[in-house]
Amino acid sequence: MLSICSAREADTFPKGATVHPRTRTTPGRRGPDTTLELAELLSHTARRLRRGSSVQLAPLGLTYAQARVLRLVAAEGRPLRMADLAAQLDVVPRSVTTTVDALEATGLVARHADPGDRRSVLVALSDHGRHLLDRLEAARRDSAEEVFGGLDPAQRHQLLELLGVLCARGACVSCRGPGRHVPAGGDR
């Protein structure tokens, strides 16, 4: 059994080798707890993705949280309410305010009063923010390639399908957006 490893160490394993985290057996079970192993490997992979993203985003002057806000506003194609951003990011509204403050200070977004609700503030991409999107996507692609580059196309597709099922079954607001219902079988 191999332990969780760095990308450099993973390159030394034969193709198809299985990498297992170091988990303890659950009391009452004979072998390792597969559910705990999955959780550990997924957490480890998520940390690698986030670390890689942070490295790729630094030259753009962005943090991981700022990049997420820019991507959400861009994906919506229209200004978003601060409350909707907080819901999609699954964070408290104050966290979004801090992130939007920083993006606004660098000229990447602008705030506007919501004409339909004077209590709400809308966040829109600025021209500068729109121009940065291509570089932002390239940085994300590079960091994802570092993590998933060792998988062949069929493995990538399988992982994509499985993670999609987990998001659909977990009623993941980040994947679906607020207020969208996902049927029991997913939304494919």
Side-chain angles (χ1 to χ4, degrees), residues 140-159:
R140 288 185 64 223
R141 191 172 292 106
D142 289 347
S143 64
E145 188 61 37
E146 288 176 19
V147 174
F148 301 117
L151 299 177
D152 65 42
Q155 290 171 320
R156 288 182 190 210
H157 182 75
Q158 184 179 20
L159 182 58

Side-chain angles (χ1 to χ4, degrees), residues 35 44 61 67 81 93 119-120 151 160 168 174:
T35 303
H44 176 73
R81 289 180 37 228
R119 295 169 298 160
S120 294
L151 299 177
L160 182 67
S174 297

Side-chain angles (χ1 to χ4, degrees), residues 98-126:
T98 302
T99 303
V100 170
D101 285 347
L103 290 169
E104 189 175 39
T106 58
L108 296 172
V109 299
R111 290 181 199 186
H112 307 284
D114 184 345
D117 180 356
R118 62 187 176 128
R119 295 169 298 160
S120 294
V121 174
L122 296 174
V123 178
L125 285 179
S126 67

Side-chain angles (χ1 to χ4, degrees), residues 21 35 38 55 58 63-64 70 76 136 141 159 163 166 175 181 185:
T35 303
L38 286 169
V55 168
T63 66
Y64 182 80
L70 286 175
E76 195 66 30
L136 172 60
R141 191 172 292 106
L159 182 58
L163 292 175
L166 292 177
C175 296
H181 175 71

